């Protein structure tokens, strides 16, 4: 049977396309697994996927720095605009505009740092990953509005954790080579997601969440039915 | 390894989110039924058609054009503003009153909102800021529920509610949700409200929980014993008024909406009794922590059973799932033993607007309490206090109010008394100390007597008894304690007084 990867590359399909098309299923499966098996929630599939890809193409340190800047500035701006009489989308648009100013200001400020460290040079970061990171702003905003700061912070942290894992899988040479060379992984991930989708057991975090109840209930074989 | 296996086995008693969604919500809650639960206006329409009480809607605002036509001066002094398809209590604001001669309404935390600010908030609701999926939404202005005086003592402003989980026409589990200062007057546990488990059989509260402060995990709770405010009232042992009626209404909600797995949030209005606040098609699971019991095993027990009627469902639940209260009290440290007659200390009654402040029972007599002797009688359900003793204990004003109502002192029949009471009950319970009224037969005379909450120390324990005030002129003891209030104790007929 011909090696599909080799065949595709001979047909002119670039390595980057193969990379993205293998890693998107990996990252979304990771997001699904983290929610339904471990109980680690995120802002959903889009945010984790977009951030992981952005970190891969931009570099983790730079990508993560921009992400933190976006999270903090959207929280600050949201609090400033809280009492303003504005429609929801206009409010969101103002947040995006202000974030652009903050990011620009940050890039300029970093350019004045007296250092040769390339990780601290933001002047030539790729623009598409930058746009991808900024685009996750409305997920952060929605959580600040609907939930309290603690919950929004928790969700942000969990999203960043999954994105970091995704970036790690893409960045690590052995997984990178294996996945792009074995595209049969994609249909296998479909089967894995079907299994995750039907999983009805406890999420790992629920063992902690219901620990008081677990201490109190009897094992099923010890329960006497009335 | 063995302990891990045991934990895994025990986890099969508890309903987790995955199990709830795949085994109960998806198969038993059709799309139509979920839409009814998610849409408050539609839900009210359907419940009203089935004779189920809900809060009255004053105004519905569907778009910005309607928002511009609101006559602010026509809005009532107190009302609730809610998004129609909001989730988790977000976007809901309750207004308690209005500032004199101005268009400013007062919120639970004492701050005010002007008409402009309220308008702004409605605009956010319409734009979908609080709705599921940020979809465009409708704003509802509805009546504010007036707190039942018993539950009012335990809540910080806001409206406490009772959540009842119903499956296959059987009430599975219930929880009292109390607003706190932290939750800003909301009863939601996520917002910082207190959840208290309720024994299905008796309607008596058991364990109370409150969310942990800083925690890596979401939805983690501490077990607490008292309310979080200064009064520190015990949360265990509260008898929920009109308990059976609450269960009946919850089951009727299931019949009306077709939701197979349902969480019914029911508030107790001081005058109207139980009112459906909201229905949930994907009810949260922290109720299990408040009850220290798993729902999954309960639901599996009733799955597939044929339930003939609402009362049948309630009886089944009470037989299968009740008895938590007795189990817990015995488990804690054994009951206190009391005799046939006990010396008690009656605490002063609550002042209007403030909860009663029971002090811990001590050997020294508290100067503000009223000492007396109480007869213990397990042959009667309801405790009684004589008019004279009630007067001595500080209930004089209540008695005068009750006398001023000029209720007939003798009815021809119980039926007449019942009809009269049905009409007069809202008036009778207008006084903050009167929580209910009862029809009694005394020496052949049929009378109506008020029921009051009386806090007392007995045998080293503080209890809150709901007592009928009646004339006990010819009887040796001015207080008689009945079965309802004797659950924390064991009776030793050979004892006279406890040494406390």
């Amino acid at each position: 049977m011909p090696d599909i990867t080799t065949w595709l590359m001979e047909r002119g399909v670039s390595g980057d396309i193969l990379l993205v098309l293998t890693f998107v299923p990996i990252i979304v499966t990771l997001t699904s697994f983290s929610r339904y098996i471990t109980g680690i929630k995120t802002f959903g599939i889009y945010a984790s996927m977009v951030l992981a890809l952005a970190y891969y193409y931009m570099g983790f340190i730079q990508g993560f720095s921009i992400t933190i800047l976006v999270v903090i500035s959207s929280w600050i701006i949201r609090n400033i605009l809280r009492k303003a009489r504005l429609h929801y989308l206009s409010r969101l648009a103002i947040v995006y505009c202000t974030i652009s100013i903050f990011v620009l200001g940050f890039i300029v400020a970093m350019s004045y740092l007296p250092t040769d460290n390339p990780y601290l040079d933001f002047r030539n970061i790729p623009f598409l990953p930058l746009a991808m990171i900024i685009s996750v702003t409305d997920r952060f905003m929605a959580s600040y509005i609907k939930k309290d700061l603690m919950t929004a912070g928790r969700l942000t942290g969990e999203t960043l954790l999954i994105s970091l894992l995704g970036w790690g899988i893409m960045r690590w040479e052995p997984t990178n080579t294996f996945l792009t060379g074995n595209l049969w992984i994609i249909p296998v991930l479909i089967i894995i997601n079907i299994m995750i989708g039907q999983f009805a057991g406890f999420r790992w975090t629920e063992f902690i969440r219901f620990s008081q109840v677990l201490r109190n209930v009897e094992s099923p074989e010890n329960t006497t039915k009335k | 390894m063995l302990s891990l296996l045991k934990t895994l086995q025990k986890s099969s008693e508890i309903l987790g989110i995955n199990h709830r969604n795949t085994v109960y919500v998806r198969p038993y809650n059709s799309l139509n039924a979920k839409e009814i639960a998610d849409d408050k206006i539609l839900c009210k329409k359907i419940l009203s058609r089935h004779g189920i009480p809900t809060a009255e809607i004053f105004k519905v605002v569907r778009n910005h054009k309607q928002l511009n036509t609101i006559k602010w001066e026509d809005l009532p002094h107190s009302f609730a503003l809610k998004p129609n398809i909001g989730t988790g209590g977000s976007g809901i604001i309750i207004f308690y009153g209005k500032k004199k001669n101005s268009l400013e309404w007062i919120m639970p935390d004492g701050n005010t909102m002007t008409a402009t600010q309220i308008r702004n908030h409605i605009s956010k609701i319409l734009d979908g800021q609080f709705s599921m999926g940020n979809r465009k939404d409708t704003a509802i202005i509805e009546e504010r529920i007036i707190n039942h005086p018993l539950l009012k003592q335990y809540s910080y402003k806001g409206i406490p509610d009772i959540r009842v989980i119903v499956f296959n026409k059987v009430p599975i589990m219930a929880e009292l949700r109390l607003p706190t200062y932290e939750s800003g007057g909301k009863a939601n546990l996520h917002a910082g409200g207190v959840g208290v488990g309720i024994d299905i059989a008796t309607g008596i509260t058991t364990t109370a929980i409150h969310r942990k402060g800083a925690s890596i995990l979401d939805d983690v709770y501490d077990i607490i014993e008292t309310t979080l405010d200064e009064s520190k009232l015990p949360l265990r042992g509260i008898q929920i008024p009109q308990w059976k009626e609450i269960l009946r209404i919850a089951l009727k909600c299931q019949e009306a909406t077709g939701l197979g797995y349902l969480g019914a949030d029911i508030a107790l209005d001081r005058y109207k009794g139980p009112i459906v606040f909201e229905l949930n098609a994907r009810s949260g699971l922290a109720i299990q922590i408040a009850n220290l019991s798993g729902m999954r095993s309960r639901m599996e027990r009733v799955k597939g059973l044929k339930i003939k009627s609402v009362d049948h469902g309630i009886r089944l639940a009470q037989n299968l799932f009740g008895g938590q209260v007795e189990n817990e009290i015995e488990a804690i440290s054994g009951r206190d033993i009391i005799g046939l007659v006990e010396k008690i200390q009656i605490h002063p009654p609550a002042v209007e607007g403030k909860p009663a402040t029971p002090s811990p029972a001590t050997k020294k007599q508290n100067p503000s309490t009223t000492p007396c002797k109480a007869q213990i009688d397990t042959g009667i359900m309801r405790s009684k206090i004589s008019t004279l003793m009630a007067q001595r204990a500080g209930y004089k004003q209540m008695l005068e109010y009750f006398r001023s109502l000029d209720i007939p002192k003798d009815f021809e029949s119980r039926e007449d008394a019942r009809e009269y009471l049905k009409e007069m009950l809202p008036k009778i319970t207008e006084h903050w100390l009167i929580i209910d009224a009862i029809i009694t037969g005394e020496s052949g005379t049929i009378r109506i007597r008020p029921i009051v909450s009386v806090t007392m120390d007995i045998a080293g324990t503080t209890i809150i008894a709901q007592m009928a005030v009646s004339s006990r002129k010819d009887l040796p003891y001015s207080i008689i304690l009945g079965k309802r209030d004797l659950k924390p104790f064991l009776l030793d007929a050979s004892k006279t007084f406890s040494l406390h």
Side-chain angles (χ1 to χ4, degrees):
Chain A
M1 195 174 155
D3 174 7
I4 296 171
T5 307
T6 312
W7 180 78
L8 284 167
M9 290 183 87
E10 278 170 3
R11 302 275 311 161
V13 178
S14 80
D16 276 344
I17 290 177
L18 289 179
L19 186 68
V20 168
L21 292 180
T22 9
F23 279 104
V24 164
I26 290 281
I27 293 161
V28 301
T29 305
L30 192 61
T31 309
S32 170
F33 179 88
S34 85
R35 176 172 291 220
Y36 298 113
I37 307 297
T38 70
I40 297 173
K41 293 185 203 169
T42 60
F43 286 128
I45 277 177
Y46 175 78
S48 316
M49 179 183 71
V50 150
L51 288 175
L53 286 170
Y55 296 163
Y56 179 78
Y57 285 105
M58 188 187 277
F60 178 74
I61 292 173
Q62 286 156 328
F64 192 73
S65 309
I66 299 281
T67 310
I68 298 300
L69 178 68
V70 165
V71 166
I72 294 173
S73 16
S74 55
W75 180 73
I76 292 170
I77 301 156
R78 189 250 157 177
N79 280 316
I80 293 170
L81 294 178
R82 205 180 198 152
K83 298 207 186 243
R85 206 176 133 185
L86 295 165
H87 294 305
Y88 176 64
L89 286 181
S90 309
R91 185 187 302 269
L92 203 50
I94 293 170
V95 172
Y96 271 104
C97 294
T98 321
I99 283 174
S100 295
I101 298 171
F102 272 125
V103 170
L104 199 55
F106 176 75
I107 292 172
V108 168
M110 293 305 283
S111 70
Y112 280 99
L113 277 182
T115 174
D116 290 330
N117 190 336
Y119 293 121
L120 299 177
D121 186 358
F122 288 78
R123 286 171 296 179
N124 291 303
I125 52 176
F127 57 88
L128 203 51
L130 177 63
M132 285 158 75
I133 293 172
I134 294 174
S135 75
V136 180
T137 301
D138 63 332
R139 306 291 154 132
F140 298 140
M141 281 289 288
S143 75
Y144 297 148
I145 289 164
K146 286 191 181 159
K147 302 182 192 290
D148 54 70
L149 182 61
M150 181 87 81
T151 310
R154 195 182 294 116
L155 278 172
T156 305
E158 288 169 346
T159 305
L160 291 176
L161 177 68
I162 300 304
S163 311
L164 172 64
L165 274 171
W167 166 80
I169 292 171
M170 289 174 76
R171 189 77 176 80
W172 196 37
E173 199 58 43
T175 47
N176 190 314
T177 314
F178 174 78
L179 290 167
T180 46
N182 294 278
L183 297 178
W184 52 263
I185 282 287
I186 300 173
V188 168
L189 288 173
I190 293 175
I191 296 167
I192 291 174
N193 277 298
I194 290 172
M195 288 165 65
I196 294 172
Q198 292 180 332
F199 177 66
F202 252 31
R203 299 179 185 183
W204 296 354
T205 50
E206 287 179 327
F207 285 102
I208 302 169
R209 187 185 172 201
F210 294 121
S211 57
Q212 293 134 326
V213 189
L214 285 166
R215 277 198 290 274
N216 209 57
V217 296
E218 288 181 3
S219 294
E221 73 266 7
N222 294 339
T223 309
T224 48
K225 290 193 178 175
K226 287 188 191 176
Chain B
M1 189 66 184
L2 205 63
S3 145
L4 179 65
L5 275 168
K6 240 186 169 172
T7 305
L8 284 170
Q9 271 182 325
K10 284 185 180 186
S11 69
S12 65
E13 297 279 308
I14 302 167
L15 189 67
I17 297 179
N18 289 338
H19 201 88
R20 180 197 70 182
N21 291 344
T22 50
V23 177
Y24 294 105
V25 173
R26 244 176 259 146
Y28 289 95
N29 290 352
S30 66
L31 222 62
N32 281 343
K34 275 189 256 190
E35 268 172 26
I36 294 171
D38 293 343
D39 187 324
K40 292 181 180 68
I41 296 172
L42 179 60
C43 186
K44 280 176 196 288
K45 266 194 198 136
I46 290 174
L47 295 182
S48 299
R49 248 184 255 152
H50 286 81
I52 298 167
T54 59
E56 186 192 337
I57 292 180
F58 296 141
K59 195 159 185 64
V60 170
V61 183
R62 295 184 194 278
N63 50 51
H64 287 92
K65 197 174 171 184
Q66 287 180 358
L67 178 58
N68 292 334
T69 61
I70 290 181
K71 287 193 182 131
W72 297 99
E73 49 286 340
D74 289 348
L75 280 185
H77 276 67
S78 68
F79 60 89
L81 172 59
K82 300 182 177 184
N84 185 35
I85 52 172
T87 55
S90 61
I92 296 178
I93 306 179
I94 315 286
F95 296 103
Y96 277 82
K98 193 175 161 191
K99 265 189 153 177
K100 264 186 187 164
N101 304 321
S102 80
L103 291 175
E104 264 184 81
W105 282 263
I106 306 164
M107 296 188 289
D109 57 7
N111 289 328
T112 58
M113 269 178 99
T114 62
T116 309
Q117 288 169 317
I118 296 173
R119 190 186 186 288
N120 191 24
H121 188 81
I122 295 176
S123 181
K124 287 182 195 173
I125 292 175
L126 296 176
D127 287 338
Q129 200 169 301
F130 307 105
S131 69
M132 288 183 248
N134 292 112
R135 292 174 349 219
K136 282 207 169 297
D137 198 0
T138 298
I140 305 171
I141 297 173
E142 67 178 31
E143 78 171 303
R144 178 179 76 89
I145 290 169
I146 312 293
N147 258 329
H148 191 283
L150 175 69
L151 299 183
K152 191 176 175 177
Q153 296 177 73
Y154 298 94
S155 354
Y156 174 82
K157 315 236 172 155
I159 311 291
D161 64 28
I162 293 118
R163 173 166 287 182
V164 183
I165 305 292
V166 182
F167 175 66
N168 191 25
K169 298 181 193 173
V170 178
I172 299 294
M173 205 171 263
E175 167 185 51
L176 169 66
R177 302 189 310 163
L178 299 165
T180 61
Y181 176 78
E182 182 192 336
S183 71
K186 290 186 195 165
N188 300 71
L189 266 54
H190 289 120
V194 166
V196 196
I198 306 175
D199 177 34
I200 286 275
T202 58
I204 295 178
T205 57
T206 57
T207 310
I209 59 172
H210 177 252
R211 73 168 185 182
K212 265 196 206 299
S215 171
I216 298 172
L217 289 177
D218 195 12
D219 246 355
V220 198
Y221 299 88
D222 286 321
I223 291 177
I224 60 174
E225 297 295 328
T226 64
T227 52
L228 300 176
D229 55 20
E230 279 170 19
S231 61
K232 300 273 180 231
L233 289 176
L235 289 166
R236 186 185 293 271
I238 305 167
Q239 172 68 65
I240 304 294
Q242 299 178 271
W243 177 236
K244 258 219 172 115
E245 186 56 25
I246 290 171
L247 292 180
R248 256 188 219 111
I249 286 176
L251 298 195
K252 282 186 185 167
C253 286
Q254 186 172 61
E255 281 179 353
T257 58
L259 280 162
Y261 170 78
L262 162 72
D265 294 346
I266 298 169
L268 261 179
D269 186 275
R270 185 175 183 164
Y271 304 112
K272 299 183 182 180
I275 288 186
V276 176
F277 224 16
E278 201 177 36
L279 297 183
N280 298 278
R282 307 159 199 87
S283 202
L285 302 170
I287 192 172
Q288 297 174 104
I289 307 172
N291 282 275
L292 288 181
S293 183
M295 272 203 296
R296 184 170 157 180
S297 53
R298 293 188 183 193
M299 289 165 77
E300 279 164 10
R301 283 177 87 172
V302 303
K303 207 192 241 183
L305 294 181
K306 286 226 164 6
I307 307 299
K308 293 174 222 159
S309 66
V310 160
D311 286 327
H312 178 211
I314 293 172
R315 270 197 317 274
L316 190 72
Q318 289 178 330
N319 287 330
L320 287 177
F321 311 136
Q324 265 176 286
V325 174
E326 281 83 0
N327 290 346
E328 284 188 17
I329 288 168
E330 277 162 20
I332 289 162
S333 59
R335 302 184 207 188
D336 283 319
I337 298 171
I338 56 174
L340 291 172
V341 179
E342 284 290 324
K343 284 182 185 163
I344 66 170
Q345 300 284 344
I346 304 175
H347 290 250
V351 173
E352 187 177 22
K354 290 182 184 171
T357 49
S359 50
T362 55
K363 285 187 182 174
K364 274 195 186 154
Q365 185 178 321
N366 185 324
S368 65
T369 57
T370 307
C372 72
K373 287 182 197 163
Q375 182 185 352
I376 309 300
D377 189 348
T378 56
I380 60 164
M381 283 303 288
R382 165 82 60 194
S383 300
K384 292 176 189 160
I385 182 169
S386 72
T387 317
L388 196 60
M389 182 51 65
Q391 203 162 303
R392 273 181 59 201
Y395 291 84
K396 186 177 177 187
Q397 201 203 37
M398 180 277 297
L399 290 167
E400 280 166 5
Y401 171 80
F402 189 76
R403 265 182 226 117
S404 73
L405 297 175
D406 281 332
I407 293 169
K409 288 191 168 48
D410 186 8
F411 288 86
E412 295 240 315
S413 68
R414 279 192 174 263
E415 206 52 45
D416 287 346
R418 245 178 249 127
E419 287 299 307
Y420 185 92
L421 187 56
K422 209 174 166 179
E423 249 184 295
M424 276 300 282
L425 188 63
K427 187 83 188 146
I428 293 171
T429 55
E430 243 179 64
H431 194 284
W432 74 93
L433 287 175
I434 304 176
I435 58 173
D436 207 341
I438 194 173
I439 299 166
T440 62
E442 295 162 25
S443 314
T445 311
I446 298 171
R447 297 188 69 155
I448 290 174
R449 296 291 191 184
I451 296 176
V452 295
S453 235
V454 179
T455 307
M456 62 182 75
D457 297 334
I458 169 170
T461 304
T462 304
I463 65 169
I464 302 174
Q466 280 150 41
M467 311 185 85
V469 181
S470 61
S471 158
R472 292 181 57 74
K473 275 185 284 202
D474 302 320
L475 298 164
Y477 297 101
S478 46
I479 288 191
I480 179 166
L481 287 176
K483 244 166 117 165
R484 262 203 194 133
D485 301 307
L486 295 173
K487 290 206 172 95
F489 308 108
L490 288 173
L491 183 64
D492 178 355
S494 63
K495 275 176 62 106
T496 309
F497 304 118
S498 304
L499 293 172
H500 285 271

